[in-house]
Amino acid sequence: MSADKTITVTRRLEFDAGHRLPHHKSQCRNIHGHRYTIEITLTADLVHEEGASDDGMVMDFGDIKAIANEKLVSLWDHAFLVWKGDTVMRDFLAMIPDHKTVVLDDVPTAENLVAAAFKILQHAYRDRFGHELTLTRVRLYETPNCWADALLS
């Protein structure tokens, strides 16, 4: 494949987290959790460095995973994702010693979570690889049948 061909690769990771949507009209206003799946899609030209570990790749899938784990997944895994305006929940969680709580600027809907994840990961990959690599999509599955996408605009 020639160096002028742009390729897209996707890495999938999973994590568990709790949340609630305090003003939701149905069951989601209650405390509950999900087995989230996140897909990270990167686009770039192939690496062409003979003898390099990533020769012929956009990026090693292990490196995609390592960056995503460091910047997002390990922080959100087994945490409670709470909106900063949900003071009842934040006060409750503050009573639990050493509780893993992630306070978010927005209500933790799938849509808001994927937007936050995209912003975090976009900076993480860009800071490490500059403009040679582009985060083009983050997809977050809240359930196997429900997901939200954040796309490069």
Side-chain angles (χ1 to χ4, degrees), residues 93-101:
L93 294 168
M95 293 188 302
I96 305 168
D98 301 320
H99 189 273
K100 190 173 181 182
T101 302

Side-chain angles (χ1 to χ4, degrees), residues 2-26:
S2 66
D4 62 345
K5 296 293 184 189
T6 300
I7 304 292
T8 297
V9 295
T10 301
R11 178 68 159 110
R12 178 186 288 235
L13 298 102
E14 296 180 343
F15 64 95
D16 299 293
H19 75 148
R20 81 177 193 129
L21 309 179
H23 305 297
H24 195 266
K25 64 184 175 185
S26 188

Side-chain angles (χ1 to χ4, degrees), residues 29-69:
R29 72 178 173 275
N30 299 313
I31 298 167
H32 64 286
H34 296 282
R35 176 75 172 168
Y36 288 98
T37 300
I38 189 166
E39 294 178 351
I40 299 151
T41 301
L42 301 165
T43 303
D45 292 336
L46 293 179
V47 172
H48 288 287
E49 291 182 38
E50 189 174 328
S53 177
D54 56 356
D55 186 28
M57 300 177 185
V58 167
M59 183 180 190
D60 185 281
F61 287 117
D63 293 337
I64 297 170
K65 177 183 176 181
I67 291 169
N69 277 333

Side-chain angles (χ1 to χ4, degrees), residues 79-91:
F80 195 86
L81 310 175
V82 62
W83 170 48
K84 69 181 179 182
D86 189 353
T87 55
V88 170
M89 196 73 231
R90 288 182 62 199
D91 291 346

